[in-house]
Every structure is written in structure tokens, then in C-alpha cells.
Amino acid sequence: MKTFRTKHPVRTYDGPQKSSYRDYRNELIADFNGRCGYTDCSHAWWGGGFHIDHFAPKKPKYEDPMVLARFEALENEYSNLVYACPQVNRAKWNDWASDDPGTPIHEGRGYLDPCMDFNDYFERTDSGGIRPKDDPIAKYMWERLKLYLFRYELYWRMEQLALRLRELEQFRSLNGLSTELRTEILEAIADLTREHQNYFQYLETNY
């Protein structure tokens, strides 16, 4: 198994509350490293179509007006916002484990704030798929948010390929490499490029 993510999101905005949660998009992009707080996939894969998730939802599935008012009060609160891919935001939607926005976990179900160290709760298979560790909340989130989808594994694989290609290109530019070694590097670059293109074509066709 591999580490779920290498860089954790940290909410740093401490300015005045803005009139709309949508006005925090730039701050969220920076604080969440341009990645989904739940899946760690880059917003580059979604053509700039990432959502702003309300950790405690704006309109949870409760009918009591006083309960709903407590959730609505957090609509523009930065500490309650998460930069998220559309797939996850739709899956999470109005789900919440309690009638208190400050209680995200109740009776074995609920959500971990993405600014926690998710490496304690999730890991990746050798091929990049997301898996929950032995924790009931991680398992609940994995199922509810559909973190098992193959698309997240493909995104991870393609990022790893791109990273290896950059490393090989840097190595290739070094002086003093033998002709044999330079040929091996070029062959490896060609193989990785073909693999990357195959994944990209699969994503274009299926997603």
C-alpha cells in the first residue's frame, strides 16, 4: 500500500467573512493545493469545474427550522468550506450524521474534516486506488463518497507517470551520459509517454 497524499490542505484564510462562499474560490484553491479535499485528485482533470463543498451541509435533511438555521449560519464560514471534485460533492450532498453542524460523527457514521491527516485513515493500493484503513468513519466515507471509483486511480497513475517523465527528462539533460544510457532513457521516456497517452484516451472515452 502507498501513502494517500503527500501534501495536506490547511485553511489559512483569516480575513473578514465574505458575503458569498463562492468568493473564497481563490483562497480554497491555494489552501487545498488545487486538489480535492476528499480524493486528492487535481482540479486540472475537471477543466476548472471543481465545486465548493460545505462540510456541514447548507441544507441537511432535517425539518426543524431551528436545526436548519444552525447549518445555514455556516454557509459563508471559511472553516466550513472544502474544495472538492463534483463527483464527491454530489455524493455527499445533504448527508450529515447529526442535527448539530459541530458534530460531524455520530453512531459510527459521518465525515472527517479534509484538513485532518487523511493518511491516518486512507491509503492507496499499489496501482493508486483509494482504500480506507480499519476505521468505521473512513469506511463510511469511502462508500458514501464513492472513493472507490476507478477514475481516481487513473488520475493518480497519470500523475505518477508525469512525475517520472519529468525526472527522466531532467536526467537526460545531464552532461557526460554514455550513449548507451542515453538510449535507455529515451526508450523509457517513449514507453511512459505511450502509457500516459493510453490512459488519457481511456479517460476521454469514458469520462
Side-chain angles (χ1 to χ4, degrees):
M1 293 291 183
K2 299 181 180 295
T3 300
F4 172 69
R5 65 185 175 197
T6 57
K7 190 174 183 181
H8 305 295
V10 179
R11 296 187 185 90
T12 62
Y13 181 76
D14 59 359
Q17 187 177 91
K18 298 187 179 185
S19 58
S20 171
Y21 68 89
R22 296 181 180 88
D23 294 336
Y24 293 110
R25 178 169 291 274
N26 289 338
E27 288 82 359
L28 287 166
I29 290 173
D31 284 354
F32 282 80
N33 309 304
R35 310 182 80 83
C36 174
Y38 300 100
T39 68
D40 199 48
C41 69
S42 171
H43 59 184
W45 299 114
W46 299 81
F50 257 35
H51 290 186
I52 297 176
D53 168 61
H54 288 81
F55 184 60
K58 289 188 297 180
K59 296 179 179 179
K61 48 187 177 183
Y62 296 104
E63 297 182 357
D64 187 330
M66 294 187 67
V67 170
L68 293 175
R70 291 198 294 269
F71 284 86
E72 290 170 358
L74 297 176
E75 179 177 356
N76 300 317
E77 178 61 49
Y78 190 71
S79 62
N80 189 50
L81 303 180
V82 179
Y83 197 50
C85 63
Q87 185 84 43
V88 161
N89 193 38
R90 294 189 191 101
K92 183 170 174 283
W93 198 238
N94 63 354
D95 187 48
W96 197 247
S98 73
D99 61 3
D100 178 6
T103 305
I105 297 171
H106 182 64
E107 295 183 346
R109 55 184 288 265
Y111 296 94
L112 301 161
D113 188 307
C115 288
M116 297 174 63
D117 188 349
F118 267 26
N119 291 337
D120 291 337
Y121 301 95
F122 299 95
E123 59 192 351
R124 290 189 184 274
T125 64
D126 289 342
S127 59
I130 301 171
R131 292 290 181 268
K133 292 187 177 181
D134 189 17
D135 179 88
I137 305 306
K139 291 177 180 177
Y140 177 84
M141 291 176 63
W142 186 78
E143 293 177 357
R144 174 75 192 194
L145 302 183
K146 302 179 180 179
L147 303 184
Y148 51 77
L149 290 178
F150 186 49
R151 69 188 309 163
Y152 301 127
E153 179 175 331
L154 285 178
Y155 295 151
W156 184 89
R157 287 190 200 178
M158 291 186 70
E159 288 194 9
Q160 299 307 304
L161 285 171
L163 177 61
R164 283 170 18 194
L165 280 167
R166 287 196 296 271
E167 291 172 346
L168 284 171
E169 288 289 358
Q170 291 174 353
F171 189 36
R172 175 190 173 194
S173 66
L174 295 176
N175 294 323
L177 294 179
S178 67
T179 301
E180 181 180 358
L181 181 54
R182 192 176 296 278
T183 299
E184 289 182 8
I185 293 172
L186 289 172
E187 290 175 350
I189 289 174
D191 289 342
L192 291 177
T193 299
R194 281 193 294 272
E195 188 174 359
H196 191 277
Q197 289 173 341
N198 289 337
Y199 284 146
F200 189 80
Q201 289 172 359
Y202 180 89
L203 285 168
E204 279 196 323
T205 302
N206 293 278
Y207 299 106

